[in-house]
Amino acid sequence: MWRTGGDGPDPPDSLSAFRHSQRRDVTVLSCLRRRGRAAVAAAGVVIPLAVAGCASAGSSGAGVSCDSPGVTPTEVKVGLVYPDSGPVGAGFRYARSGVEARIALANASGGVNGRKIVLEWRDDQGNTSGFARAADDLLRAGVFGLIAETLFVADTADRLDKEGVPVAGVPGEAVWTQHRNMFTFGSLQAAGSSVTTFGLYLRRFGATRAALVFNDTQSRSAEGLVRLFTDSLRSQGIAVADPIGYTPGITSPDRVAAQIKALDADAFVGIVSGEDLPPIYTAAKRAGLTFKVALASSGYDTQFLARHGASMAGVSVLTPHVLFTADSPALHAYRQAVIDHAPELDQTDNEIALGAYITTDEFLLGLELAGACPTRAAFIDNLRAVRDYDAGGLIPTTDLSRFGDPNLCYSFVRVNQTGTAFEVVPGVGGPDPHQWCGTRLGA
């Protein structure tokens, strides 16, 4: 059954210019500016370090005994949860690589406030009960906080918030915009609202009717994303049929293609992993389907091109982070860190690894701002006060105090006709020619 909506509002003129991380306290801010950030020559990146000599931030915590969980005079223990197995394990296989690379880079420069970061990880097996068990196990093991590179946090989020546990990770669920203790970037979702950005993109290519296919093993995450894309497309007058569920390894891609064909859709949106998209899209082409635009929610990495590029020509992929074609010092630093510390990732330009690297950077900034004797409350209070976090230039400037707001701006890339490279689709309404920026719906 097709449903449509009216035209959405025009996109905003611009975002604020990119800036480096803001500090909560004016005295700390001025001290940081005087001292600057220490450059790691081999990587070419700037890394947040202890604010030595700044009275309001405290000096290096090395050798200081603290009562906080996971904090010793020389170390801070941090927990990582991600799906190393289960139905989405393949899509997240490189999350740990990004986390470990960023932590290794920090430790190579002396750690955070003089303490080495020690990582302990657990597998949530790609389900909500698995995440709850993994988080409980890590907290019993005495970690300071959690890095959650997973889609299954929702059922545990309330308890982590009540217990004041800092959490950073990928924004796969609406709960990332509903809890003050949870930090992320590029959030697609916010409570009760969507954005016009994706509808603007499809409308630019003349789409009138869209078929949505989603991974139905991802429960709340998938449901939220289906609602997000549906609202966005309808805001631009694009009709959206009831979404089509897909279970990797069980559902026949040809059956999904037949369902899409029955809808007579001229646009396709795949809310699935980069590994799950090719079987569906190639089945659609075998069925004789053509689309004015095909958009995927993930798949922007060189591994995807190497394995599937020839069959994915013309497919667009959205991304909330810096383009891999950018001449960015922070991007060069990320690549070098992965080469040095995560050799299992043979091709550095991987969206899951980069996203994990960015959220780990965010967690490390929270530790830095928490001071010489960090507490969970200080971590949350001080990081939540940062209004222009950009991971050194890897993402658009983000106001972490406005954690209930969805991300308005994305870049879109498209697999070229030979399947050998991603081409950047010129943007609309953003602060640079590569960004597409819309407005919030339901605000």
Side-chain angles (χ1 to χ4, degrees), residues 196-332:
T196 62
T197 314
F198 313 112
L200 290 170
Y201 186 79
L202 267 67
R203 190 178 68 177
R204 172 59 65 91
F205 296 99
T208 60
R209 300 179 303 280
L212 271 64
V213 178
F214 70 100
N215 185 328
D216 57 10
T217 67
Q218 295 176 7
S219 62
R220 295 186 185 179
S221 173
E223 291 172 7
L225 291 175
V226 165
R227 185 168 54 253
L228 167 94
F229 279 96
T230 298
D231 291 347
S232 184
L233 270 54
R234 288 177 181 166
S235 77
Q236 302 306 305
I238 300 169
V240 182
D242 292 335
I244 301 168
Y246 174 74
T247 304
I250 297 177
T251 306
S252 164
D254 290 321
R255 178 184 175 186
V256 173
Q259 291 176 276
I260 297 173
K261 189 172 185 178
L263 295 173
D264 193 29
D266 58 14
F268 167 78
V269 177
I271 309 172
V272 295
S273 73
E275 289 300 310
D276 294 334
L277 177 68
I280 301 169
Y281 190 68
T282 54
K285 291 199 295 185
R286 280 198 306 270
L289 298 177
T290 58
F291 302 109
K292 292 179 178 178
V293 57
L295 175 63
S297 61
S298 63
Y300 180 38
D301 59 65
T302 50
Q303 289 94 336
F304 178 83
L305 277 182
R307 289 190 295 268
H308 310 295
S311 61
M312 292 291 103
V315 171
S316 298
V317 185
L318 66 93
T319 176
H321 57 68
V322 65
L323 294 169
F324 287 127
T325 54
D327 183 13
S328 160
L331 187 59
H332 299 327

Side-chain angles (χ1 to χ4, degrees), residues 32-83:
L32 281 168
R33 286 175 174 165
R34 288 196 307 272
R35 290 184 172 272
R37 293 174 179 263
V40 178
V45 69
V46 288
I47 303 175
L49 298 180
V51 193
C54 297
S56 55
S59 59
S60 171
V64 177
S65 180
C66 301
D67 293 332
S68 296
V71 180
T72 75
T74 59
E75 296 179 344
V76 179
K77 186 191 294 186
V78 176
L80 165 65
V81 182
Y82 79 108

Side-chain angles (χ1 to χ4, degrees), residues 110-130:
V112 176
N113 291 338
R115 291 186 177 89
K116 179 183 178 182
I117 306 302
V118 177
L119 187 70
E120 189 166 336
W121 69 275
R122 297 290 186 274
D123 176 13
D124 70 9
Q125 301 176 324
N127 60 74
T128 54
S129 60

Side-chain angles (χ1 to χ4, degrees), residues 5-24:
D7 289 340
D10 293 331
D13 293 334
S14 66
L15 295 178
S16 59
F18 285 1
R19 295 177 292 164
H20 290 295
S21 295
Q22 174 179 316
R23 299 299 187 258
R24 182 184 188 187

